């Protein structure tokens, strides 16, 4: 599997795999369960290797989209005898309920633990414009006083970048598709799917223009 490459599973989205009534939004499966699990295993191996001198990792899971990815990654790190991991959550958003970025980052729910002096690993579902991570990175470094900070993103859409951000670990690089599944939503739908799908561009286009797209 090419690192950071797009994985087209070639699977068709059967009715059983798609939430009933929402099939009209879904284009196809982009990343299968098998590919996700193989890539997460590889990410866990890298992380365990990089953090072998560290006593404890402080994971910061960016909700809600990173929940499923983080749960799998953290368990994979445990299975590889990685360092203990403290887990905290933050909810930040540069997106509202739709597919376009508002450009403004807000912290909706802040951390509950004190992460000062900790080796922080941010777990993000997808990096798009880079605005969210740029904001959180400077928030953690300047206001929270962390000891070290690394970022692990499951998906990266570099073609959409507005603010440069260095990512330490990337699961898959994807083109400019709107994706969902595996924790990631489209208007709160599809988070429960165990694979990553693409939303039909024609559906998103219809939303923008207000045209009916076969609903
Ligand atoms: P950024 O600040 O533009 O990098 O936005 C990152 C956030 O936007 C992610 O954590 C997601 O919540 C959301 N996002 C970006 N692209 C997608 C997508 O294709 N599908 C669903 N959410 C997305």
């Amino acid at each position: 599997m090419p690192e950071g490459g797009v994985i087209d599973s070639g699977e068709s989205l059967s009715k059983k795999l798609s939430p009933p009534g929402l099939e009209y939004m879904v284009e196809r499966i982009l990343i299968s369960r098998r590919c996700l699990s193989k890539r997460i295993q590889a990410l866990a191996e890298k992380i365990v290797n990089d953090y072998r001198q560290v006593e404890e990792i402080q994971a910061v899971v960016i909700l809600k989209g990173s929940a499923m990815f983080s749960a799998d990654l953290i368990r994979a790190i445990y299975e590889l005898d990685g360092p203990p991991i403290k887990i905290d959550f933050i909810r930040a958003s540069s997106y509202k309920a739709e597919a376009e970025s508002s450009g403004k980052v807000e912290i909706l729910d802040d951390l509950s633990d004190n992460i000062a002096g900790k080796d922080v690993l941010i777990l993000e579902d997808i990096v798009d414009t880079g605005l969210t991570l740029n904001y959180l990175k400077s928030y953690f470094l300047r206001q929270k006083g962390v000891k070290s900070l690394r970022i692990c993103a499951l998906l990266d859409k570099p073609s959409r970048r507005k603010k440069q951000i260095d990512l330490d670990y990337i699961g898959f690089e994807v083109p400019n598709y709107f994706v969902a599944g595996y924790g990631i939503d489209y208007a709160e739908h599809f988070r429960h799917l165990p694979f990553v799908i693409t939303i039909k561009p024609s559906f998103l286009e219809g939303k923008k223009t207000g045209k009916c797209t076969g609903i």
Side-chain angles (χ1 to χ4, degrees):
M1 178 195 318
E3 196 174 287
V6 176
I7 303 304
D8 184 344
S9 66
E11 291 175 63
S12 64
L13 199 73
S14 74
K15 274 197 177 146
K16 193 170 154 247
L17 298 178
S18 172
L22 299 180
E23 298 87 352
Y24 66 92
M25 294 185 195
V26 177
E27 188 173 54
R28 68 193 166 103
I29 295 179
L30 181 68
I31 310 177
S32 67
R33 279 175 265 213
R34 196 178 56 83
C35 289
L36 284 165
S37 132
K38 275 180 78 175
R39 188 73 193 121
I40 283 164
Q41 183 64 25
L43 288 176
E45 282 166 19
K46 267 195 184 175
I47 291 168
V48 169
N49 190 44
D50 292 354
Y51 281 87
R52 61 186 180 280
Q53 312 291 2
V54 166
E55 259 176 46
E56 181 182 79
I57 298 173
Q58 172 66 62
V60 172
V61 177
I62 306 184
L63 294 175
K64 304 174 190 173
S66 313
M68 211 182 272
F69 161 55
S70 301
D72 286 345
L73 182 72
I74 288 166
R75 282 179 294 185
I77 293 171
Y78 168 80
E79 296 296 346
L80 292 165
D81 290 327
I85 305 183
K86 287 234 171 85
I87 307 170
D88 203 354
F89 303 93
I90 194 164
R91 200 154 68 89
S93 185
S94 65
Y95 271 67
K96 302 301 164 200
E98 296 296 336
E100 284 298 316
S101 172
S102 65
K104 186 174 164 280
V105 179
E106 277 177 275
I107 293 186
L108 306 173
D109 289 301
D110 207 342
L111 301 169
S112 58
D113 300 339
N114 179 6
I115 61 166
K118 302 276 181 74
D119 292 295
V120 169
L121 178 62
I122 298 182
L123 301 178
E124 173 66 309
D125 56 352
I126 178 162
V127 188
D128 187 46
T129 62
L131 292 168
T132 307
L133 280 177
N134 258 285
Y135 181 88
L136 289 180
K137 194 175 172 182
S138 66
Y139 178 57
F140 290 164
L141 289 172
R142 291 195 196 140
Q143 294 186 42
K144 299 282 185 182
V146 302
K147 182 173 164 200
S148 72
L149 185 80
R150 285 193 178 141
I151 301 171
C152 177
L154 176 66
L155 305 177
D156 183 22
K157 275 200 265 184
S159 62
R160 295 256 311 161
R161 205 68 95 244
K162 286 187 181 153
K163 278 214 164 179
Q164 202 270 332
I165 181 90
D166 292 327
L167 304 175
D168 301 278
Y169 309 97
I170 300 171
F172 302 91
E173 197 175 296
V174 293
N176 185 18
Y177 299 129
F178 198 86
V179 299
Y182 199 58
I184 302 168
D185 76 309
Y186 171 68
E188 291 303 326
H189 298 301
F190 307 114
R191 289 195 198 275
H192 65 295
L193 298 176
F195 40 75
V196 177
I197 58 166
T198 54
I199 302 295
K200 274 185 190 151
S202 59
F203 172 76
L204 296 170
E205 212 36 57
K207 290 289 283 184
K208 265 190 235 158
T209 58
K211 279 187 202 149
C212 178
T213 52
I215 302 170

